[in-house]
Amino acid sequence: GEDQIFTVWSHTMGSGGFTVMGFTKIATDYDKGRRGEDVWFWAGEAERFGDLGCGSRVLDLGCGTGLYTVGIAVRTSASMCGLDPAVGMLAQARLKSSGVHWFNAVGESLPLRPGVFNCVFSSQVWHHITDKYGTARDVVGCARAQLREKVIFTYFPEILRNQLRVYPSDEDFERYFRNAGFSSIDHHTFELERYQSPSKFIEVAQNKLWSMFRRISREGLERGVEELKRFERENPGEMIRNDETRARM
């Protein structure tokens, strides 16, 4: 199939301005905040839209601890490369697989020649990229992308404004990729029902395992945690519905 870019993002997982050192600091605990991720589903979407299989070459741009990198490799048998600017995150990724080519770099300056990959996959990364136009140009040989959006601001409403500020809109992505030379950009939307326990949300919030929590005030954080604890006391054993609305480009 034709080369393409397949990108995934979330309105709640990450905040612009979160530093490489910040990610290195939480690297060993990072996956605790990703326990609810549907890796197999997104690996399947990459497989479907990228027409991936044995012999395909895929770059995971901003791979973090390699959660999706390894998932795509297992599902598709593609040859995987994982790129991330945070050395600590890559150290955790290397523990997951020695069969992936892991390397330290930034999206704004990819140390790659054109046409190497059949697909570029990127999960929850674009809001951290400084030069979005330059990064789009670096993957100009690709043709499609996928994005994901998730909304869970009921207990932590303070972070909503920042998340809406730092995440690129559909129109922003249109500009990035049109400017980079992409000739076809398609948008699709669908929803997945999902549930998580209050204790898992509390762990993520208190340990700031999602970068969005780096900007929340102490009062806002404590208020949200207390609300979650109250829900847990009043509804023992009940899960919190945390649906995901996902949009593909």
Side-chain angles (χ1 to χ4, degrees), residues 93-169:
R94 290 189 176 98
L95 296 176
K96 289 185 173 74
S97 174
S98 60
V100 173
H101 303 284
W102 308 104
F103 60 103
N104 181 231
V106 295
E108 291 89 339
S109 182
L110 297 178
L112 304 165
R113 62 180 175 82
V116 174
F117 296 102
N118 302 104
C119 175
V120 177
F121 179 94
S122 184
S123 173
Q124 304 163 11
V125 168
W126 280 87
H127 57 298
H128 292 297
I129 294 174
T130 301
D131 182 5
K132 296 177 176 63
Y133 287 102
T135 302
R137 285 193 296 271
D138 272 0
V139 292
V140 70
C142 306
R144 293 182 188 140
Q146 174 158 0
L147 304 99
R148 183 180 62 187
E149 172 182 348
K150 186 165 86 85
V151 183
I152 60 160
F153 297 110
T154 302
Y155 296 97
F156 303 98
E158 182 183 317
I159 61 178
L160 178 58
R161 288 190 300 274
N162 181 60
Q163 295 303 286
L164 294 177
R165 179 181 63 82
V166 300
Y167 274 97
S169 65

Side-chain angles (χ1 to χ4, degrees), residues 8-14 30-43 63 65-68 71 121-125 148-150 152 167 192-196 200-201 204 209-210 242-244 246:
V8 182
W9 64 292
S10 165
H11 265 308
T12 59
M13 296 186 180
Y30 185 79
D31 285 353
K32 292 179 181 178
R34 298 291 179 260
R35 288 169 176 159
E37 295 289 297
D38 196 342
V39 175
W40 193 250
F41 172 83
W42 285 109
C63 64
T65 62
L67 194 65
Y68 285 103
F121 179 94
S122 184
S123 173
Q124 304 163 11
V125 168
R148 183 180 62 187
E149 172 182 348
K150 186 165 86 85
I152 60 160
Y167 274 97
L192 293 181
E193 191 172 306
R194 172 176 167 179
Y195 296 85
Q196 288 182 277
K200 296 301 181 187
F201 281 131
V204 168
L209 299 179
W210 295 346
N242 179 30
D243 288 0
E244 296 192 50
R246 295 169 174 180

Side-chain angles (χ1 to χ4, degrees), residues 74-90:
V74 171
R75 177 145 189 165
T76 68
S77 297
S79 176
M80 296 294 302
C81 287
L83 175 153
D84 201 273
V87 175
M89 301 290 269
L90 287 173

